Amino acid sequence: QVQLVESGGGLVQAGGSLRLSCAASGRTLSSYVMGWFRQAPGKEREFVSTISRNSGIKSYTDSVKGRFTISRDNAKNTVYLQMNSLKPEDTAVYYCAAALSEGLRSVVSRLSGEYGYWGQGTQVTVSS
């Protein structure tokens, strides 16, 4: 129903910034709740941020609050994750995900199991 492709990852020093992009094709992006997740080597995938269909509601995991900002531009079929003040513990593969709003308990979702569509991931490495 939708295909997702992440970009914008790379190597950055601690304290630096990156902006990740998630380009969607297929079904209209406005049909989906969107989220960002990340997975470090040897660790389980963890929730990072989520945004409602029309950008009205945003949610973040505690460790990135005040540093990361999620946004979306439905006209461009793109979701963004602006990452500032990066720390070494932010190093991970970052994944964009989409969930159809039908069946969700809320207008945003922190649960990976509620997302049916995932991108290929983009590597973010933060050096000390």
Side-chain angles (χ1 to χ4, degrees):
Q1 291 184 299
V2 65
Q3 295 78 46
L4 307 173
V5 179
E6 303 97 331
S7 62
L11 176 64
V12 65
Q13 295 183 7
S17 298
L18 287 172
R19 188 175 80 156
L20 306 184
S21 297
C22 175
S25 62
R27 189 167 175 173
T28 303
L29 185 63
S30 62
S31 299
Y32 298 92
V33 172
M34 301 299 296
W36 286 96
F37 293 77
R38 65 188 182 186
Q39 186 168 24
K43 302 292 183 64
E44 293 185 339
R45 182 170 54 189
E46 67 172 343
F47 165 77
V48 177
S49 185
T50 181
I51 186 168
S52 61
R53 292 169 62 186
N54 294 310
S55 304
I57 304 295
K58 303 173 183 179
S59 184
Y60 303 88
T61 191
D62 287 345
S63 64
V64 308
K65 287 181 179 177
R67 299 189 298 120
F68 290 10
T69 302
I70 190 170
S71 62
R72 66 191 295 165
D73 187 339
N74 289 339
K76 296 182 178 179
N77 280 347
T78 303
V79 179
Y80 306 95
L81 185 68
Q82 178 67 47
M83 305 186 295
N84 298 326
S85 301
L86 283 163
K87 304 175 180 179
E89 59 254 45
D90 296 318
T91 295
V93 176
Y94 282 71
Y95 297 92
C96 177
L100 284 169
S101 61
E102 292 86 351
L104 296 180
R105 64 172 63 186
S106 181
V107 295
V108 293
S109 177
R110 302 166 63 96
L111 305 176
S112 62
E114 293 189 330
Y115 290 85
Y117 306 94
W118 296 82
Q120 85 289 348
T122 185
Q123 177 71 48
V124 172
T125 303
V126 184
S127 62
S128 300

